[in-house]
């Protein structure tokens, strides 16, 4: 498993147009929510958390603007080489767009050197972060590119999305106090693979697990994914400085995290700070996983967190994922050496490979040497 160095980060959420404001809002639990142009099942207006990009843009145009803001913060670190772009997004057809068009628009409007032919869009909602990280490792391991861009974007404040969630009874309202608050966000990471000690945060390892939809089962699956990520990174639970959970922030997800805290390894990290970004940003769907990585990377880069951090990912279904981030100065080669031959490398087979999104490299052909004639 190749560790991923986070060279640059960028994000836009409801609480600000840059990552620092987002982090400050999470620390202070500031809630910049407002009444949306939508009505819930009880006839009352829906409260949401739209990003500061204006109300004129609708549907896929909102995703486009959100993406540009996030990419702009990463753009200063770009060189001249073309880089692949991996996008985590919802089903774009529901928003009047498609993946190829979104990538072409981002290339044209951002002015960044993006390799269109190598770019991929994963339209699988919250389930995209683990396949995206696996794909990033595969792209960088080929050594065809010096780095790659990981972008996640979603908006649950557009009328079509709100209507579907209201009909399903998932949006918070007068008769549904435990529902989620619709939000929107975009987060971008510039990733590279280095073999020496780096001065930037590092995604050392990931872990994933599947299970049933019941609350207690989902909590156990979440803890299992965390255990595997820590084992893959060869880190102990007690070394964690922070745990970030990307759930939508309603009481169901908070209870799920509390139940998971009763299992190892989270129970062994009582002093680790807990982050629930959705408390300040609302539920941001497909953007939630990469946004959590960006927030932890920001805190690690600024020295606010000095120990390893754990990001927990909730999928659309029963799947759960986790990633271990290390602070600047960590040795990538040492992390790779520790992770090699680890029996708990549960995601050695890329999640996206089974879905036919990309092919595994062919094994090298072994050539036997003929014995010398006497």
């Amino acid at each position: 498993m190749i560790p991923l160095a986070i060279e640059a980060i960028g994000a836009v959420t409801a609480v600000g147009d840059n990552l620092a404001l987002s982090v400050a809002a999470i620390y202070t639990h500031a809630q910049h929510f407002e009444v949306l142009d939508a009505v819930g099942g009880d006839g009352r207006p829906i409260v949401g958390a739209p990003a500061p990009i204006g109300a004129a843009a609708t549907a896929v145009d909102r995703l486009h603007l959100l993406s540009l803001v996030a990419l702009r913060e990463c753009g200063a670190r770009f060189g001249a080489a073309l880089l692949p772009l991996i996008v985590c997004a919802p089903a774009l057809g529901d928003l009047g767009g498609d993946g190829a068009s979104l990538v072409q628009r981002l290339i044209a409007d951002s002015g960044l050197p993006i390799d269109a032919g190598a770019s991929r869009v994963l339209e699988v909602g919250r389930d995209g972060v683990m396949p995206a990280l696996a794909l990033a490792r595969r792209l960088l391991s080929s050594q065809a590119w010096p780095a790659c861009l990981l972008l996640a974007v979603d908006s649950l404040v557009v009328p079509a999305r709100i209507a579907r969630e209201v009909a399903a009874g998932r949006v918070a309202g007068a008769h549904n106090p435990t529902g989620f608050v619709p939000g929107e966000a975009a987060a971008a990471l510039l990733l590279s693979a280095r073999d020496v000690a780096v001065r930037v945060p590092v995604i050392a390892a990931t872990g994933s697990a599947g299970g049933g939809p019941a609350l207690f089962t989902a909590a156990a699956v979440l803890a299992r994914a965390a255990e595997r990520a820590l084992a893959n990174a060869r880190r102990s639970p007690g070394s964690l400085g922070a745990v970030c959970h990307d759930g939508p922030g309603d009481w169901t997800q908070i209870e799920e995290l509390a139940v998971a805290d009763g299992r190892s390894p989270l129970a062994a990290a009582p002093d680790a700070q807990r982050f629930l970004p959705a408390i300040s940003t609302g539920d941001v769907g497909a953007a939630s996983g990469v946004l959590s990585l960006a927030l932890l990377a920001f805190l690690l880069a600024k020295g606010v967190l000095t120990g390893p951090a754990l990001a927990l990912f909730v999928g659309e279904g029963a799947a759960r994922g986790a990633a271990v981030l290390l602070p600047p100065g960590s040795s990538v080669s040492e992390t790779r050496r520790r992770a090699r031959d680890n029996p708990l490398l549960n995601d050695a087979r890329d999640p996206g490979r089974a879905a036919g999104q990309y092919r595994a490299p062919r094994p090298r052909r072994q050539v036997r040497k003929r014995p010398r004639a006497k």
Side-chain angles (χ1 to χ4, degrees), residues 30 38 68 82 96 123 160 168 202 213 218 247-248 254 272 296 310 314 317 326 374:
L68 288 178
L82 291 177
E123 301 181 39
V202 174
I254 294 175
L296 290 178
L310 179 69
V314 177
L326 302 181
K374 296 183 179 180

Side-chain angles (χ1 to χ4, degrees), residues 44-63:
R44 298 187 180 185
I46 295 294
V47 173
I53 58 173
T58 60
V60 74
D61 290 337
R62 294 196 69 82
L63 271 62

Side-chain angles (χ1 to χ4, degrees), residues 254-322:
I254 294 175
E255 288 174 1
E256 177 180 318
L257 181 59
V259 173
D261 276 349
R263 274 179 51 98
S264 175
L266 299 182
D271 297 329
Q273 297 187 57
R274 299 298 203 265
F275 293 98
L276 285 167
I279 292 176
S280 297
T281 64
D283 184 12
V284 296
S288 58
V290 178
L291 178 64
S292 293
L293 293 174
L295 293 175
L296 290 178
F298 179 84
L299 295 174
L300 290 167
K302 296 300 181 183
V304 177
L305 299 175
T306 57
L310 179 69
L312 301 174
F313 310 125
V314 177
E316 300 283 359
R320 298 292 183 266

Side-chain angles (χ1 to χ4, degrees), residues 130-210:
M130 294 298 288
L133 290 174
L135 178 55
R137 289 195 295 265
R138 289 181 55 77
L139 290 173
L140 294 176
S141 66
S142 71
Q143 299 183 348
W145 301 273
C148 73
L149 267 169
L150 174 56
L151 168 70
V153 59
D154 203 348
S155 175
L156 277 71
V157 304
V158 297
R161 300 290 300 279
I162 295 178
R164 184 163 59 250
E165 300 298 336
V166 168
R170 290 192 288 262
V171 177
H175 299 294
N176 186 20
T178 62
F180 72 82
V181 175
E184 61 183 359
L189 304 176
L190 179 60
L191 304 174
S192 70
R194 300 196 198 182
D195 286 328
V196 296
V198 296
R199 297 181 180 179
V200 296
V202 174
I203 302 174
T206 58
S208 60

Side-chain angles (χ1 to χ4, degrees), residues 16-104:
D17 58 355
N18 61 65
L19 204 57
L21 287 179
S22 300
V23 174
I26 289 173
Y27 268 118
T28 60
H29 297 283
Q31 297 184 1
H32 291 206
F33 301 151
E34 62 185 63
V35 175
L36 302 176
D37 186 20
V39 177
D42 55 4
R44 298 187 180 185
I46 295 294
V47 173
I53 58 173
T58 60
V60 74
D61 290 337
R62 294 196 69 82
L63 271 62
H64 174 243
L65 291 178
L66 289 165
S67 300
L68 288 178
V69 176
L71 289 172
R72 190 175 299 123
E73 295 191 32
C74 290
R77 299 294 298 272
F78 272 49
L82 291 177
L83 303 181
L85 171 65
I86 305 170
V87 183
C88 300
L92 296 176
D94 295 342
L95 298 172
D98 61 84
S101 298
L102 179 61
V103 169
Q104 291 298 333

